[in-house]
Amino acid sequence: QKLATLSKHFAYDTSVVPSLHIPGHYGHPSAKTTPTRLGGMLELPLSVTPYIRLPAATGWYYRNLGRRYIEWIIRSSLRRHAYAQICLHTWEFTPKNRVRGVPKHVFRNCGKPMEKLVEELCDLADRAGAALLTCSEYARSPENAAGKAENVL
């Protein structure tokens, strides 16, 4: 019922993280790691590490584990699925001050480091021959409708 209601109003969803379950956060270990149609809606799962399915595709992982970690995930996902999905939030591109009671890792490397990440990801996509698309562009692409979208980041 929920899916039917959502697919009437939304073309895609990016909330599934097909990773090991992380208590208090997310993780759907049995979820598919590639785009899937669920009713009329397209599910675009975030990329995870191969085999053990650790979450990897948000700005938090880049900001706290470094560029090499997220690049490894993207390369692995492109190699295995010809698809990689990452999620970066607009607030991560604004420098943040320390907030009492909020752990340091929450705001670490916000601002300029995130701008640098986008430049590095664009370079990585170019080197990999991958197209850079927003979720909306991917959902509307004729290749996706035909199930033939390849090398997409």
Side-chain angles (χ1 to χ4, degrees):
Q1 177 66 15
K2 290 179 188 176
L3 184 59
T5 302
L6 289 172
S7 41
K8 287 180 186 175
H9 305 285
F10 297 95
Y12 64 88
D13 174 58
T14 62
S15 63
V16 170
V17 181
S19 70
L20 295 172
H21 179 68
I22 299 190
H25 292 282
Y26 44 67
H28 301 278
S30 62
K32 292 185 179 188
T33 57
T34 55
T36 308
R37 283 243 169 243
L38 301 171
M41 190 168 49
L42 182 64
E43 179 59 55
L44 300 171
L46 295 178
S47 294
V48 295
T49 63
Y51 311 112
I52 57 174
R53 290 184 164 204
L54 295 174
T58 67
W60 185 93
Y61 293 94
Y62 167 74
R63 293 183 292 104
N64 289 281
L65 299 179
R67 175 183 56 86
R68 289 181 190 220
Y69 179 74
I70 203 162
E71 280 189 5
W72 171 60
I73 302 315
I74 290 169
R75 283 188 185 132
S76 296
S77 189
L78 286 172
R79 236 185 342 268
R80 293 179 79 213
H81 307 300
Y83 164 86
Q85 165 74 341
I86 60 170
C87 177
L88 304 175
H89 301 95
T90 54
W91 66 262
E92 293 176 301
F93 293 88
T94 305
K96 303 289 183 227
N97 294 323
R98 197 56 216 232
V99 176
R100 182 179 288 170
V102 176
K104 185 178 180 181
H105 68 85
V106 173
F107 298 131
R108 180 183 290 132
N109 291 324
C110 285
K112 291 286 184 198
M114 288 301 290
E115 291 176 27
K116 184 176 178 186
L117 168 67
V118 170
E119 290 173 13
E120 291 169 345
L121 291 176
C122 290
D123 290 343
L124 173 63
D126 286 342
R127 290 191 309 274
L132 287 169
L133 301 174
T134 65
C135 293
S136 294
E137 290 169 334
Y138 183 86
R140 288 191 310 258
S141 72
E143 296 85 2
N144 171 52
K148 298 177 182 174
E150 292 185 2
N151 260 3
V152 177
L153 169 62

